[in-house]
Amino acid sequence: MPITARELSYAAKTQVFTRNFRHLLPVPRFLVRGPFMHGQSKPKDTKPKDRIKFWNIVPGDFVKLRNDSKGTVHEVHKINKLSNRVILKREINKANYVPDARSGSGVSVPYSQCQLLVGKYEYPPEGSSTEPKVQNVFATRITSSEPYFNRKGGYWIWRRYAVNTTPRLPSYSADKFSSIRIPWPKTNAVTRPDPSPYDTTADVVNEVTYTPPSLPSTLLSPAPRVPSEHEYITSLSKPEKVSLPKEAPVEVYLHKELSNPHARAKKQARWQAYQARTKALLEEFIKAEYANLAGRTKREARTEATWKWQQRLVQDRKEELKRRWRNRGAEARLERKAQRKARKMAKRNEKLRNLVLADAPNQVAPPSRRPAATA
């Protein structure tokens, strides 16, 4: 399975140990080509054959950049195994350190430009000075032991050694030189704050609030019957008619009502029941047509039964949609709207019937309403 879009977007990680080698898989080209939205960074990756399998520089290490005459030490924040890049922590007011504006954490540098910090060592005093000089020693060449899988932690682990350093160690000798082991960075333990009034304390969580009913000692004895939902509802209104143990929680009796109806298992069960019901309905139609062929072949009868079955499914679907429409209150809402319109129209007609115009010189009665002239 190739690299997914999510893995490509979150390729820069802060994990110290290697849990898998999915970063060696190829990246689909359509994820790299785009198109991309305005302001969205374009993901970059290297060829799978050029990617590093075992990373000796991990988040938490301290490194310096090659050809840096001042030897500024930077802390590794993240590593991107798809592009062989190391993201350093953002540092302010540091000489020759320009943070990357597009990155929220710091500057991104190639893996090959980083030299791992081995430690600090004392060197003999130089010139007229009498005090020893403490310098940072960086590894220019690193080797590692045979990696093995830690089953308890679920990650690959190996030991890393510095074969060559800059500057040379004070006790360096070409004949008696031995590699220096570099320990892995230690991860800080997560500090948990004290619980606030909005948090649940441990004693409340561990409190026993439900004791299950006692089961029979032998398999031959009948198991106790679980009361139904109807019995529980009846016990709420008429406790003298049905008596249930008060220590039993409500969830025991209403587990069907309180469970999620949209769970995947329930959806699958409903879908399987629907498929079985439609299949049984098709067999009924075919059996009915086979019983009365009326000069038709079985193939023609089966075709007609299939057509009737499809029409029945369409009709059942329409009835189901209408039932849902009625259950969610759409029919009652439509009736209320019609009644409201009828009341509004009745009030309007009543106002028109009771309308009386005052006599005024600018009013002319139509000829049909004028009183007849008397001789």
Side-chain angles (χ1 to χ4, degrees), residues 33-263:
R33 288 195 300 263
F36 303 101
M37 298 178 62
H38 179 70
Q40 182 181 2
S41 60
K42 298 181 180 180
K44 298 180 181 179
D45 67 318
T46 58
K47 296 180 180 180
K49 64 178 182 179
D50 296 334
R51 295 176 193 165
I52 303 170
K53 185 175 183 180
F54 300 103
W55 279 64
N56 290 317
I57 297 178
V58 295
D61 285 331
F62 292 90
V63 298
K64 87 174 186 69
L65 303 181
R66 292 181 183 271
N67 303 325
D68 185 6
S69 58
K70 294 187 177 181
T72 306
V73 180
H74 309 280
E75 184 179 357
V76 178
H77 179 52
K78 293 181 180 180
I79 55 175
N80 192 334
K81 296 183 179 181
L82 295 180
S83 59
N84 291 347
R85 308 283 294 187
V86 177
I87 302 175
L88 307 177
K89 276 192 176 181
R90 182 184 294 272
E91 299 181 18
I92 309 299
N93 298 330
K94 284 284 186 177
N96 297 336
Y97 191 93
V98 181
D100 189 3
R102 296 174 299 176
S103 176
S105 57
V107 66
S108 175
V109 296
Y111 179 88
S112 58
Q113 294 295 325
C114 299
Q115 292 182 346
L116 185 61
L117 176 65
V118 178
K120 295 184 178 182
Y121 292 84
E122 292 185 356
Y123 285 81
E126 298 179 356
S128 60
S129 177
T130 58
E131 296 182 358
K133 184 179 181 181
V134 179
Q135 293 185 7
N136 293 327
V137 177
F138 299 91
T140 57
R141 183 182 175 188
I142 300 176
T143 185
S144 59
S145 63
E146 186 70 21
Y148 64 93
F149 186 74
N150 188 343
R151 295 183 179 275
K152 184 177 180 180
Y155 54 82
W156 291 87
I157 190 65
W158 60 91
R159 292 181 295 274
R160 52 184 183 174
Y161 300 92
V163 178
N164 195 8
T165 61
T166 177
R168 298 284 189 180
L169 296 179
S171 59
Y172 174 77
S173 175
D175 300 333
K176 300 181 180 180
F177 177 76
S178 60
S179 56
I180 307 170
R181 182 175 178 179
I182 306 175
W184 295 100
K186 296 182 179 180
T187 56
N188 298 328
V190 179
T191 57
R192 301 184 182 277
D194 297 333
S196 64
Y198 297 98
D199 298 329
T200 306
T201 56
D203 55 346
V204 176
V205 174
N206 297 328
E207 183 182 358
V208 179
T209 58
Y210 170 62
T211 304
S214 59
L215 298 177
S217 57
T218 61
L219 297 177
L220 300 178
S221 303
R225 186 181 65 86
V226 179
S228 62
E229 298 88 346
H230 180 70
E231 293 178 352
Y232 176 77
I233 296 174
T234 306
S235 66
L236 297 178
S237 58
K238 300 178 181 179
E240 68 281 355
K241 188 175 181 180
V242 179
S243 61
L244 297 177
K246 297 181 179 180
E247 63 275 5
V250 62
E251 292 82 3
V252 176
Y253 308 106
L254 303 179
H255 62 93
K256 292 183 180 180
E257 288 78 0
L258 297 177
S259 60
N260 181 18
H262 306 291

Side-chain angles (χ1 to χ4, degrees), residues 344-355:
K344 187 176 180 180
M345 187 60 66
K347 290 182 180 180
R348 183 179 180 184
N349 294 336
E350 185 178 359
K351 286 183 178 181
L352 291 176
R353 285 195 304 268
N354 299 334
L355 180 62

Side-chain angles (χ1 to χ4, degrees), residues 315-332:
Q315 183 65 23
D316 292 347
R317 178 61 179 174
K318 291 181 179 179
E319 294 178 357
E320 177 65 18
L321 293 178
K322 189 172 183 179
R323 184 188 66 82
R324 295 180 183 178
W325 172 76
R326 187 181 295 109
N327 289 347
R328 67 170 176 261
E331 185 179 12

